[in-house]
Amino acid sequence: MDNVRWLQPPDDEPPDEGKPCLVHSDDEWWEGTLVWERVRRQDGLWWATVTYRKDGQVVTEVRSQHDVRAR
């Protein structure tokens, strides 16, 4: 997991502040923002609530670190 260390949310960041990201959905990357959960889940992954615009619609979903990329 060392190669995804940048995905870990910093401890001093307010939990409600969205960070810019790209969200993978339907084989495309969409611009959006994310808010990380404060701890890893039992599966060992970081999860975040992401909000992004896809085909003109605002979408809010919970996604794992594998479906988001820092912008």
Side-chain angles (χ1 to χ4, degrees):
M1 285 274 161
D2 286 341
N3 62 339
V4 292
R5 185 174 298 149
W6 61 270
L7 292 169
Q8 181 173 345
D11 291 333
D12 60 350
E13 181 180 321
D16 59 348
E17 184 177 317
K19 295 182 90 171
C21 70
L22 296 174
V23 181
H24 192 245
S25 178
D26 294 333
D27 293 325
E28 293 187 48
W29 290 95
W30 306 87
E31 291 188 9
T33 59
L34 63 76
V35 177
W36 291 111
E37 293 179 357
R38 297 306 297 166
V39 296
R40 290 181 193 252
R41 291 192 181 180
Q42 286 185 331
D43 60 8
L45 300 177
W46 289 102
W47 289 78
T49 300
V50 296
T51 302
Y52 59 101
R53 186 172 294 278
K54 177 178 172 182
D55 296 328
Q57 299 284 339
V58 175
V59 180
T60 300
E61 300 173 331
V62 176
R63 294 294 188 97
S64 81
Q65 66 192 51
H66 296 300
D67 292 326
V68 295
R69 297 287 181 261
R71 245 188 346 163

